[in-house]
Amino acid sequence: MSDRNTGTIPVHPSGENPGKAASSANQEPHLARQLSNRHIQLIAIGGAIGTGLFMGSGKTISVAGPSVVFVYMIIGFMLFFVMRAMGELLLSNLAYKSFSDFAADLLGPWAGFFTGWTYWFCWVVTGIADVIAISGYARELVPGIPLWVPGIAAVGILLLLNLPTVKAFGETEFWFALIKIVAILALIVTGLVMIFTGFSSEAGPAAFSNLWSHGGFFPHEFMGFVAGFQIAVFAFVGIELVGTTAAEAKDPERNLPKAVNSIPVRVLLFYVGALVILMSVTPWTQFAAGHSPFIGMFSLAGLGAAATVVNLVVLTSAMSSANSGIYSTSRMVFGLAQEGDAPAVFGRLSSRKVPANALFLTCVLLLSGVVLLYAGENVGRAFEMVTTVSAVCFMFVWSIILASYLAYRRRRPGLHAASAFKLPGGKAMVWAVFAFFAFVLWALTTQPDTLAALAVTPVWFLILGIAWAVLRRRPVHLARYEAFRARLEAEARAEAAARETARVGAAE
């Protein structure tokens, strides 16, 4: 936990891990470790399977064709290394509550401030979009229902589920994620049956050859492939959610590595597997934006209740995403408040070790989604832009995780050498992922709508910069900065002494 006077994470100058002792010795209110292995595993899966797979994949397939399979594989491959870097950092010091903590410790107090608030902003925006989506899906299931009813009901239900204990959140997310998994597995099994039984529709027979017989894997050539990244990257937001559970996970040294290492399998099965089946049953030319490929395939299979079932699944997926947003934003604001970067009232815990005030803040902001439901026809387009802004901000958070890893390798080589969960590829893979993020940013400039969203994103960082310029002059922040500088100097002296000892030993 954070030191009350300096607002810094306790790390010995030599880089030794204070571990659980530091956390238990601290007198600040601390979160309870109530999330079991099954909670962590399903939270990680739920974070990797977004609503974008159920509803957004139609647009991604239509612009990229079968090459969308490679798009999801590449994004999943690159983000796996981001998660491994995050895992090594979190396990290097069990006093870290989340990635904003190690960013502040390794890069400086400014990094914790920018990372924490940007991550909060990302999830609030995504949560508002989820509330709007939930209202829309509810109207499909119950025609004529006023949009504000399911919107307010969703926020109220999620608040009640998160207030009791963190275990209640974990249990809710466990079942939400399980429903998504069952839906995807059902799609894969149904599709395989249709392929191997010779099913045929107006679009032609179901066969794996549909993947390459309609213009090849890259029907829209390279720029169509690039366009797939613009949409698909948003489907992966939330994959880092497991990092915000670090302070509330039982046995984090065992459970966090298991969750992170399962990312490649999840991407291959749930994204690549589902998309391969969808495009094998129906040629990619039949997909369009705004139509769920899942509904289309179940309808082809003759399942009369397909629309209702898939709408329920997508509704659950949106509830899962909003649930994750409420959880992660409340924990992030709680951590920011403990560091003096947010009002102190949000740094208090209830008797059940839940940051109730931070939860109420998020839920009040999510209710603005209900207001936006009545703002007019341009809400949908506005939220397409806002979700692109959110995706860019998530990439900023992922980049801060990688930058923190580079600082960790430079400043604490002893901890890295002793780590049992090292990042594969080390620094070289970090720079490879940075290059990939630069490619994605370039991809966002190739279309007018995403370019406009990219152009307005700096406004958020300008607001944060102004806020930080004011906050950094406060005594508590000046003390944090001095403590950060002192740690840098102490670590530099310790490293110099270690090199000198090694040199003398070699000379002898």
Side-chain angles (χ1 to χ4, degrees):
M1 286 294 156
S2 303
D3 183 272
R4 183 181 293 276
N5 296 319
T6 65
T8 58
I9 304 300
V11 179
H12 293 282
S14 62
E16 295 177 4
N17 181 4
K20 296 178 182 177
S23 186
S24 60
N26 199 286
Q27 297 303 308
E28 285 190 343
H30 58 276
L31 299 166
R33 292 191 179 275
Q34 297 181 348
L35 295 178
S36 66
N37 177 55
R38 70 183 179 91
H39 293 139
I40 297 297
Q41 298 303 318
L42 270 293
I43 287 170
I45 292 174
I49 306 173
T51 310
L53 177 62
F54 293 100
M55 295 301 293
S57 53
K59 182 177 180 181
T60 315
I61 293 170
S62 69
V63 300
S67 67
V68 70
V69 171
F70 302 116
V71 170
Y72 280 100
M73 288 176 68
I74 292 170
I75 297 174
F77 176 78
M78 291 298 178
L79 290 184
F80 168 69
F81 292 100
V82 177
M83 296 303 99
R84 282 297 299 257
M86 180 183 73
E88 181 175 346
L89 289 169
L90 287 172
L91 295 176
S92 72
N93 184 350
L94 296 184
Y96 291 142
K97 297 183 295 296
S98 70
F99 39 81
S100 69
D101 280 349
F102 63 63
D105 183 37
L106 294 163
L107 300 176
W110 70 269
F113 177 84
F114 274 76
T115 304
W117 279 116
T118 299
Y119 194 67
W120 172 87
F121 172 72
C122 290
W123 272 113
V124 166
V125 169
T126 304
I128 290 172
D130 286 330
V131 169
I132 291 177
I134 288 167
S135 299
Y137 300 141
R139 175 167 277 185
E140 291 289 329
L141 293 167
V142 187
I145 188 174
L147 290 173
W148 62 268
V149 173
I152 292 178
V155 175
I157 290 169
L158 293 174
L159 176 63
L160 291 175
L161 289 172
N162 277 268
L163 273 177
T165 62
V166 67
K167 188 175 181 180
F169 158 77
E171 202 65 35
T172 303
E173 194 57 29
F174 174 86
W175 290 104
F176 278 163
L178 198 60
I179 290 171
K180 290 190 280 189
I181 291 169
V182 169
I184 294 172
L185 292 177
L187 174 122
I188 292 173
V189 171
T190 303
L192 286 172
V193 170
M194 295 168 75
I195 292 169
F196 289 114
T197 57
F199 175 84
S200 185
S201 66
E202 294 180 358
F208 289 116
S209 60
N210 282 330
L211 291 170
W212 58 81
S213 60
H214 296 271
F217 274 100
F218 297 87
H220 293 156
E221 300 180 337
F222 179 70
M223 291 312 295
F225 177 65
V226 169
F229 285 91
Q230 304 166 4
I231 309 160
V233 72
F234 185 70
F236 283 87
V237 300
I239 199 170
E240 74 301 311
L241 182 65
V242 69
T244 64
T245 67
E248 296 172 286
K250 295 178 180 178
D251 194 7
E253 292 107 325
R254 184 173 67 92
N255 292 334
L256 287 179
K258 286 176 64 176
V260 170
N261 284 336
S262 63
I263 287 174
V265 176
R266 293 200 299 268
V267 171
L268 285 174
L269 177 62
F270 298 121
Y271 280 96
V272 177
L275 292 173
V276 165
I277 293 299
L278 285 169
M279 291 183 290
S280 296
V281 172
T282 305
W284 71 269
T285 52
Q286 303 297 311
F287 293 95
H291 298 280
S292 171
F294 281 68
I295 293 177
M297 207 197 81
F298 282 123
S299 297
L300 279 177
L303 301 177
T308 300
V309 171
V310 176
N311 268 308
L312 281 170
V313 170
V314 177
L315 177 64
T316 301
S317 181
M319 286 285 283
S320 171
S321 178
N323 191 43
S324 299
I326 288 175
Y327 170 82
S328 58
T329 52
S330 63
R331 269 55 179 183
M332 200 59 73
V333 171
F334 169 75
L336 288 166
Q338 285 196 315
E339 305 296 344
D341 291 335
V345 67
F346 298 121
R348 299 172 188 164
L349 294 177
S350 69
S351 59
R352 296 175 178 268
K353 302 298 183 183
V354 171
N357 292 337
L359 277 170
F360 282 118
L361 170 67
T362 298
C363 290
V364 167
L365 292 172
L366 290 188
L367 288 175
S368 63
V370 178
V371 177
L372 288 173
L373 286 167
Y374 298 93
E377 296 179 359
N378 292 325
V379 171
R381 292 187 61 187
F383 267 89
E384 284 183 13
M385 175 180 287
V386 170
T387 50
T388 301
V389 172
S390 180
V392 174
C393 290
F394 270 108
M395 280 198 293
F396 169 81
V397 173
W398 298 335
S399 297
I400 287 289
I401 291 172
L402 296 177
S404 299
Y405 175 81
L406 292 176
Y408 158 81
R409 287 287 303 269
R410 183 179 67 254
R411 290 172 48 193
R412 295 171 189 161
L415 276 181
H416 170 68
S419 174
F421 194 59
K422 291 184 176 69
L423 166 66
K427 297 177 184 177
M429 277 312 307
V430 169
W431 289 109
V433 178
F434 276 140
F436 172 70
F437 287 164
F439 163 76
V440 173
L441 289 176
W442 169 76
L444 292 173
T445 67
T446 61
Q447 297 295 324
D449 53 347
T450 52
L451 176 60
L454 188 62
V456 302
T457 303
V459 173
W460 167 250
F461 293 102
L462 178 63
I463 293 170
L464 282 185
I466 294 171
W468 177 246
V470 174
L471 280 176
R472 63 181 297 185
R473 295 174 182 158
R474 295 173 57 190
V476 65
H477 287 84
L478 292 173
R480 287 175 63 197
Y481 180 68
E482 288 303 318
F484 175 70
R485 288 187 58 186
R487 285 201 311 280
L488 285 178
E489 293 171 2
E491 289 171 356
R493 288 195 299 270
E495 182 64 20
R499 285 198 301 266
E500 179 63 19
T501 300
R503 186 187 66 80
V504 171
E508 293 175 352

